[in-house]
Amino acid sequence: MPERIFNFSPGPATLPPEVLRQAARDIINYRDLGMSIIEMSHRSKPFMAVVDEAERLLRELMDIPANYKVLFLQGGASTQFAMVPMNLLGAGQKACYLNTGVWAKKAIKEAKLFGEIDVAYSSEGETYNHVPAAGDYQVDPAAEYLYFVSNNTIYGTQFQSFPSAHVPLVCDMSSDILSRPFDIRPFGLVFAGAQKNMGPAGVTVVIVREDLLDRAPDNLPTMFKYRTHADKGSMFNTPPCFAIYTVGLVLQWLRDLGGLAAIERINREKAALLYDAIDRLDFYRGHARPESRSLMNVTFNLPTPELEAKFIKEATALGLDGLKGHRSVGGCRASIYNAFPRQGVEKLVEFMEKFAGNN
Ligand SMILES: *Cc1c(COP(=O)(O)O)cnc(C)c1O
């Protein structure tokens, strides 16, 4: 493996070197079968075993009960913005949404095509610098579900504890799935694009409670029905084979590391190093309110945009790549998902100290 830089990209994001090494071998010759993992029929025994194992590991790691289906779909997380209301929201029905960032806002826009949407909370007026606390909004008991984004990738905010409601929760966990243990039972549906915390781009994991599958209207096209994919074990059509296979490797890596409780500990330590530097050095300013700070995406500003540009340029030269903030908020963002190594965080903190001293 050639020398690697520290890649703070928000997504597609860094993956464990062990996973890349294994994938490199299997892309040439999978288990001595004389062909690549990406050349095999998706209905062949060895590939079916890959999908089964990925699902089994996900169920084990997230403690997913039997009455939930696990689907491996295409179209990215963005397709779920529409698929969720298409399947769960009938004409004349209502759903409740929390607007905590651009990804939530995009989901609201799609949902409005299908039903009545009640935006029960919005932090848009404050550049989405926080997520609401439990008492900050009310969920209409007539809503079919409460939709929220657990981690707001662009703004670096994250729900520390999940909303509780008398309606099923629906959550976009694209940028923090598998980063900490949680109880999935209050959730009707959880989805996540793989490319932030789970693997390469190309597959979106959907975990959906079985009893919700029958809410979809009959005139919904086959490919957009969760039921279609649930009944066929994600094999109704050709699934994103390579992406699912790689997610499987990441799940093995996570299990061998000790699972979600172990990775949460590591994630907390990594994030604490960065937030401590932001708070300690009178030079950086965190974007997220402290009680909403994300363990996955750490957002901060420097005194001026010129200094931010200089900071990013010098960091890149040191092998600290991908620190530029999203164009909608500017500043800097360090994305430190599960697979991001602690040494990279330590190196960034060291650089932040030096840079603050020199400027
Ligand atoms: C990246 C991201 C998305 C969009 O994912 P795509 O797979 O590109 O559609 C949606 N939601 C969140 C929270 C994200 O971080």
Side-chain angles (χ1 to χ4, degrees), residues 99-102 104-105 122-131 152 155-157 287-288:
N99 180 14
T100 56
V102 159
K105 196 176 176 182
S122 175
S123 51
E124 186 171 8
E126 289 145 293
T127 337
Y128 295 122
N129 67 359
H130 65 284
V131 295
N152 297 280
Y155 313 91
T157 66
H287 175 71

Side-chain angles (χ1 to χ4, degrees), residues 20-36:
L20 298 177
R21 265 194 294 271
Q22 184 66 48
R25 285 193 288 270
D26 292 346
I27 215 161
I28 302 292
N29 185 5
Y30 183 67
R31 299 207 169 165
D32 283 326
L33 293 173
M35 59 177 158
S36 162

Side-chain angles (χ1 to χ4, degrees), residues 150-151 158-162 176 178-182 197 257 259-277 290-298 336-342 345 349:
S150 52
N151 183 72
Q158 186 177 29
F159 281 85
Q160 313 300 313
S161 60
F162 291 142
D176 69 349
L178 298 166
S179 68
R180 52 182 174 176
F182 73 98
N197 216 8
L257 208 116
L260 300 196
I263 200 74
E264 178 179 16
R265 230 165 14 247
I266 296 169
N267 286 335
R268 284 196 183 283
E269 288 172 11
K270 285 190 306 193
L273 289 173
L274 274 174
Y275 287 120
D276 172 67
E291 68 279 9
S292 292
R293 283 174 166 179
S294 166
L295 301 183
M296 302 276 96
N297 311 96
V298 178
I336 50 170
Y337 302 115
N338 286 353
F340 190 91
R342 183 186 165 112
V345 175
V349 168

Side-chain angles (χ1 to χ4, degrees), residues 215-330:
R215 290 204 192 175
D218 292 337
N219 67 350
L220 196 57
T222 313
M223 276 297 285
F224 296 114
K225 275 191 185 131
Y226 290 127
R227 165 65 74 195
T228 303
H229 305 284
D231 285 350
K232 293 285 198 271
S234 302
M235 291 283 181
F236 173 74
N237 71 326
T238 318
C241 299
F242 181 68
I244 297 173
Y245 151 84
T246 313
V247 166
L249 293 184
V250 172
L251 296 174
Q252 276 174 33
W253 168 82
L254 201 49
R255 183 204 47 201
D256 295 347
L257 208 116
L260 300 196
I263 200 74
E264 178 179 16
R265 230 165 14 247
I266 296 169
N267 286 335
R268 284 196 183 283
E269 288 172 11
K270 285 190 306 193
L273 289 173
L274 274 174
Y275 287 120
D276 172 67
I278 290 169
D279 293 341
R280 173 167 49 87
L281 302 164
D282 185 23
F283 188 75
Y284 303 97
R285 199 164 24 84
H287 175 71
R289 286 190 195 160
E291 68 279 9
S292 292
R293 283 174 166 179
S294 166
L295 301 183
M296 302 276 96
N297 311 96
V298 178
T299 49
F300 56 95
N301 289 84
L302 278 70
T304 67
E306 292 70 35
L307 281 170
E308 284 166 351
K310 186 173 180 222
F311 178 89
I312 290 160
K313 188 161 167 234
E314 288 183 19
T316 308
L318 288 173
L320 303 168
D321 195 68
L323 287 166
K324 196 166 173 5
H326 190 270
R327 57 190 183 282
S328 62
V329 280

